[in-house]
Amino acid sequence: MFGALSGPVHADEAGVSYWLPGRFGSLAAAPTVPGWSMAEVYYHTTLAASGAAAAAREIQIGRIPASVNVSLNLNLNAQADLILLNPTYTFATPVLGGQLAIGVTGLFGRSSASIDGTLTAAVGPFAVTRTGFLGDSITSVGDLYPQATLKWNAGVHNFMTYVTGDIPVGAYDSSRLANLGIGHAAIDGGGGYTYFNPATGHEFSAVAGFTYNFKNKDTNYQNGIDFHIDWGASKFLSKQVFVGLVGYGYQQITDDFGAHPLLGGFRSRVLGIGPQIGFLFPVGDMQGYLNLKGYGEFEAANRPSGWNTWLTFSISPMAPTSTVAPTRRIATK
């Protein structure tokens, strides 16, 4: 639906990645009604990690060089509450036989993180041990996330391709435990498919893509290439209400560059699944949409995991005929 968002600790360098799993969902590839639309999202996540996923953040903010041997027994906890705004314009004139839409997402909110445990750093026979608690929080704005999509419809089958990225203008400090920006640029692209049959009310969508991350000049660290897939399945109980499931998979496929030897390639992975419910309703001569979905995460590696929820409200042009037609864009956050 809109540009990705970086939570407080979510993968790659020190637990922070560009792509946020769960970004796409039901009806993601279905064409939309031309014109302006606006989506507002409240996002909450609660995460925890130990071992290497917690150690990565301590190593970064502590500026621990590769020549120092490190022994870690740490726990990381993080939380974020964010508001995202996504204005999008959908063109009426076809492009390559499909429907072009462009938009940008900005975010504002609060991120907090804490680390507790013991860190021992040694050079030769000399060792220093630190035990205690370190906490940090920030309330500010995040990066900007432009996005363009191109969608095609063929009956109950819908296809899309997209390109998006990160403009690193958000609040970021490499020595800070909590941030709302990621400190580097990124570009992401991929494609998706939606099956939607208005006669039966059945729908299934899946969108997959790859992220290329540029080097963080503040830390000389470059995240590896990430693969991700988001999916959603739903059943319309009426023309206004649907229920279903959502899920995602995230796997880093190449090593990070610049990581401490203790962390190795630091490839991250996580899976998530959960329920969703959506409502369609008129707002004057526009169409309103309200969606609530949540994910529980599992099978995480080199990445904090936990749970997250999304509450989306969007307004878009009303379809020419009042149906559940896939001719409007469902906000999928």
Side-chain angles (χ1 to χ4, degrees):
M1 178 200 89
F2 48 74
L5 105 95
S6 59
V9 280
H10 246 193
D12 296 1
E13 181 184 8
V16 179
S17 69
Y18 159 71
W19 185 264
L20 182 70
R23 167 180 172 178
F24 289 110
S26 288
L27 294 172
T32 68
V33 178
W36 283 102
S37 63
M38 171 64 79
E40 302 85 27
V41 178
Y42 167 67
Y43 169 79
H44 172 85
T45 184
T46 297
L47 302 163
S50 58
R57 195 58 172 157
E58 177 75 5
I59 289 171
Q60 177 185 308
I61 65 175
R63 295 292 193 270
I64 298 173
S67 59
V68 175
N69 295 319
V70 183
S71 175
L72 298 141
N73 180 17
L74 298 170
N75 296 299
L76 170 67
N77 292 282
Q79 182 174 301
D81 292 279
L82 306 173
I83 299 295
L84 297 95
L85 298 176
N86 169 232
T88 297
Y89 185 77
T90 301
F91 293 87
T93 303
V95 175
L96 299 177
Q99 184 184 68
L100 175 66
I102 58 174
V104 64
T105 296
L107 68 91
F108 172 85
R110 183 177 188 273
S111 173
S112 62
S114 64
I115 291 178
D116 65 85
T118 301
L119 179 147
T120 301
V123 179
F126 303 101
V128 176
T129 298
R130 184 172 73 184
T131 300
F133 174 87
L134 177 65
D136 189 22
S137 65
I138 183 172
T139 300
S140 189
V141 296
D143 294 346
L144 291 176
Y145 314 102
Q147 176 176 289
T149 62
L150 195 57
K151 301 180 179 182
W152 297 268
N153 171 257
V156 298
H157 305 291
N158 303 273
F159 307 89
M160 70 170 285
T161 185
Y162 77 90
V163 62
T164 183
D166 185 290
I167 302 174
V169 296
Y172 173 80
D173 186 330
S174 61
S175 64
R176 195 164 51 209
L177 191 58
N179 285 292
L180 287 174
I182 61 174
H184 65 84
I187 186 168
D188 187 283
Y193 168 78
T194 290
Y195 170 85
F196 178 65
N197 188 333
T200 63
H202 293 125
E203 178 271 339
F204 174 79
S205 298
V207 181
F210 295 88
T211 302
Y212 177 82
N213 297 281
F214 294 89
K215 181 182 290 186
N216 184 332
K217 295 181 179 180
D218 291 333
T219 61
N220 291 318
Y221 194 110
Q222 185 172 10
N223 294 342
I225 295 174
D226 303 319
F227 169 77
H228 50 82
I229 182 167
D230 297 337
W231 60 268
S234 63
K235 166 66 176 177
F236 279 82
L237 305 179
S238 70
K239 291 184 178 182
Q240 289 75 39
V241 180
F242 69 86
V243 296
L245 294 174
V246 288
Y248 53 68
Y250 181 99
Q251 175 67 62
Q252 186 175 335
I253 59 176
T254 66
D255 291 348
D256 291 351
F257 296 95
H260 192 282
L262 173 70
L263 303 176
F266 204 58
R267 297 193 188 192
S268 57
R269 178 187 72 244
V270 76
L271 301 175
I273 192 170
Q276 69 164 331
I277 183 170
F279 302 91
L280 298 168
F281 52 91
V283 179
D285 59 352
M286 304 286 283
Q287 180 168 275
Y289 173 69
L290 189 66
N291 177 270
L292 176 64
K293 66 179 183 178
Y295 299 86
E297 295 185 324
F298 57 99
E299 292 296 325
N302 293 323
R303 173 187 181 97
S305 61
W307 59 274
N308 55 81
T309 58
W310 315 71
L311 178 62
T312 298
F313 171 69
S314 72
I315 297 179
S316 60
M318 181 72 75
T321 57
S322 181
T323 68
V324 195
T327 53
R328 71 168 301 276
R329 169 135 85 30
I330 293 293
T332 57
K333 269 294 190 184

